[in-house]
Amino acid sequence: MRIVFLASECVPYSKTGGLADVVGALPEALAELGHEVEVLVPRYRMTKPGPVVAGASNVTVPLSAGYKFAAIQQGGVTKGVRHYLVECPELFDRDGLYQTREGKDYPDNAVRFAAFSLASIEFLKRRDTPPGVIHCHDWQTSLAPVYLKKLYARDPFFRETSTVLTIHNLGYQGLFPPDVLPQISLDAGLFSIDGVEFFGQVNLLKGGVLFSDFITTVSHTYASEIQTPEFGYGLDGVLRSRASQLRGILNGADYDAWNPATDNLIPARYTPQKLDGKQVCKKELLLKMGVTAPVLERPVIGIVSRFAAQKGFDLIALATEDLMKMDTYITALGAGEAQYESLFRTLAATYPGKFLLKIGYDNELAHQIEAGADIFLMPSRYEPCGLNQIYSLKYGTVPVVRATGGLDDSIEEFDGASGTGFKFTGYSAGALLDALRKALRTYAQRPAWMRLMQNGMKKDFSWAASARVYSDIYAELGGNSSVAARN
Ligand code: ADP
Ligand code: GLC
């Protein structure tokens, strides 16, 4: 089947978080199953020139705010997946993907991503055959299913095309004032409880939830959580109304990029059978982070994260005193909300040589922390899937996580023999500290720790299994056009 992904980020072209990893890797796993997969993403300033072929096709974007003109460039074919970059400099050639350098959302985000969805649809319409499925991701591309069911409802070209929406994070819904509707080619009639209205605002994600043929999210537990008021961010009722077309599918890991046996971004490679390289990675990491005489017996706790309320760093603030009494290094890499950057900066200034910090986005250092740390900490308030704990397992870096969403689904509590990490349930400093203490006690017992590391390193979270579940969903939606029917 021909499947087209519409997304706002995709490695290697653009990335702010795990969405980019998923949109980079899942299409390859689908192509492996025999699907014809294409990915369309905006071309941002951060998109490196790479193998871009200019001016493949020009489309007029029928936006009511004023027509836009986009060039659809070919980004090349990787492992059977064809990438297209939607270039419209007035909308996408900016410092950030969604925000200014100062962290303020661009005021025209609704128009920017409406234009991206419309440009993609217009581009697809110029092809000889329609896609079987258009697979959208998060609020940025949630308008595509709305347009297909409204603006293009009578267009025979898309009659056989189904839409799937994957929710990667319900905490970001794309909320805009009501006067945005006439700018994004949508009828005022959609501003109702059965449409995109949401507490007096326009909610783009709600549009995606209501108008897609099927909805997925990125773990089984998160699929249940988002149907509750606690995690539903006001959309739990709408999601419950679509429960029979909603499924949780755990993300996979791209082991071509995240594997200590082959990773060229880390100082030494290692495998479960030959772990010496991990000690080299630990030493080099500590040196790089400014520790002059690293004590290699002391455990390193790693953090790599967007600094956002979702990630649970208030627990670190609450636990600081006890945390800093522990005989560990903490290595943190991240950027985001000012309050967390300032919390981490204060910790680094107060505990030099112990709390090691880099503020910013640094893919190489992210890999080096995965490899050089002993423990990886993710105390998330909520976590739809989470990828770093899955990468950590492969790197023999033991996850200590809060049991929520995909963290709960991917990590099993270590019981001395089986299990891959340590989990805590309550959202409290006490619960976090207890789990960390348990991890540190185990770290002190080398045979148990080695076993725990090995358990994690042997786990296989490659994309193949999840891709098959997506493929089954496409097949159910697409009837006869499924891969199975064609083969
Ligand atoms: P989320 O998508 O909520 O940010 P995930 O765990 O799914 O969380 O994915 C985060 C991805 O972004 C991982 O690939 C992680 O390595 C990467 N990442 C997060 N922050 C940084 C950073 N400051 N520098 C480099 N990579 C980062
Ligand atoms: C989101 C979530 C994260 C998930 C990622 C990819 O950004 O916060 O948990 O792993 O999307 O699906």
Side-chain angles (χ1 to χ4, degrees), residues 280-327:
V280 178
C281 292
K282 179 171 180 175
K283 184 171 174 204
E284 293 298 322
L285 172 66
L286 290 170
L287 289 171
K288 181 169 182 171
M289 297 304 285
V291 180
T292 38
V295 181
L296 291 183
E297 295 71 38
R298 190 179 291 166
V300 173
I301 300 174
I303 294 173
V304 177
S305 185
R306 286 184 297 114
F307 290 163
Q310 167 197 351
K311 301 295 178 179
F313 296 128
D314 343 304
L315 295 186
I316 292 193
L318 293 170
T320 299
E321 210 177 298
D322 291 300
L323 201 56
M324 293 304 153
K325 277 191 209 141
M326 294 176 174
D327 188 22

Side-chain angles (χ1 to χ4, degrees), residues 9 11 15-22 168-169 172 251 258 304-307 310-311 333-335 358-367 370 376 378 382-389 391 407:
E9 24 187 301
V11 286
K15 172 164 171 174
T16 67
L19 169 65
D21 293 14
V22 173
H168 295 263
N169 195 332
Y172 303 85
N251 286 333
W258 297 92
V304 177
S305 185
R306 286 184 297 114
F307 290 163
Q310 167 197 351
K311 301 295 178 179
L333 164 67
K358 170 147 185 203
I359 299 270
Y361 184 86
D362 184 338
N363 184 46
E364 193 172 290
L365 184 58
H367 283 249
E370 284 293 0
F376 199 91
M378 292 178 78
Y382 75 92
E383 194 63 72
C385 177
L387 293 170
N388 280 119
Q389 82 283 8
Y391 302 153
L407 295 176

Side-chain angles (χ1 to χ4, degrees), residues 10-11 19-30 81 252-254 463:
C10 172
V11 286
L19 169 65
D21 293 14
V22 173
V23 176
L26 171 58
E28 292 175 3
L30 290 166
V81 179
D254 178 359
W463 269 104

